[in-house]
Amino acid sequence: RYRSGDLARMWTSPCACGRSGTRIRIEGRVDDMLRVQAVNVHPGAIGAVLGRFEGLGRYAVVADGDPIVPPLRVFVETADGIEGVDAALRTELGARFEVRAVAPGTLPVGEQKTRVVYRTARGEELRLG
């Protein structure tokens, strides 16, 4: 109705606290969505899968081409290994991923909102520090 471009989740069932009204949670922006060979992948969903692995820190996604050509390259800060991460991403999100481990503190940090997605077709480049 408002065309805000927000990606949201809505619940209509009664809440455990007793409220019976509709509840909405904003999960991100639609324009952040990555379309990879007919599969929609939201960067927040990538973060949710990565969050289930111990020892993984911040991440960045590099999408090549317009339209995006798989695999999506995911750089993850970790001192530990990344074994099984690419398989978990593919199973849960349905797209192909190439996951690379980088040392903690390598990914750039923004002053306000840290960028997660870099699209090379738009001239955006991930600079590892």
Side-chain angles (χ1 to χ4, degrees), residues 29-92:
R29 302 280 305 169
V30 171
D31 57 358
D32 290 341
M33 190 76 67
L34 302 168
R35 187 163 177 83
V36 184
Q37 287 187 333
V39 177
N40 290 328
V41 178
H42 194 272
I46 295 171
V49 173
L50 295 176
R52 292 195 290 262
F53 287 84
E54 290 290 324
L56 299 184
R58 295 179 308 121
Y59 69 98
V61 179
V62 176
D64 295 316
D66 188 19
I68 297 171
V69 178
L72 285 174
R73 291 183 289 145
V74 180
F75 294 83
V76 182
E77 290 184 341
T78 182
D80 303 331
I82 54 169
E83 187 176 325
V85 174
D86 52 350
L89 287 167
R90 182 179 179 113
T91 300
E92 296 213 20

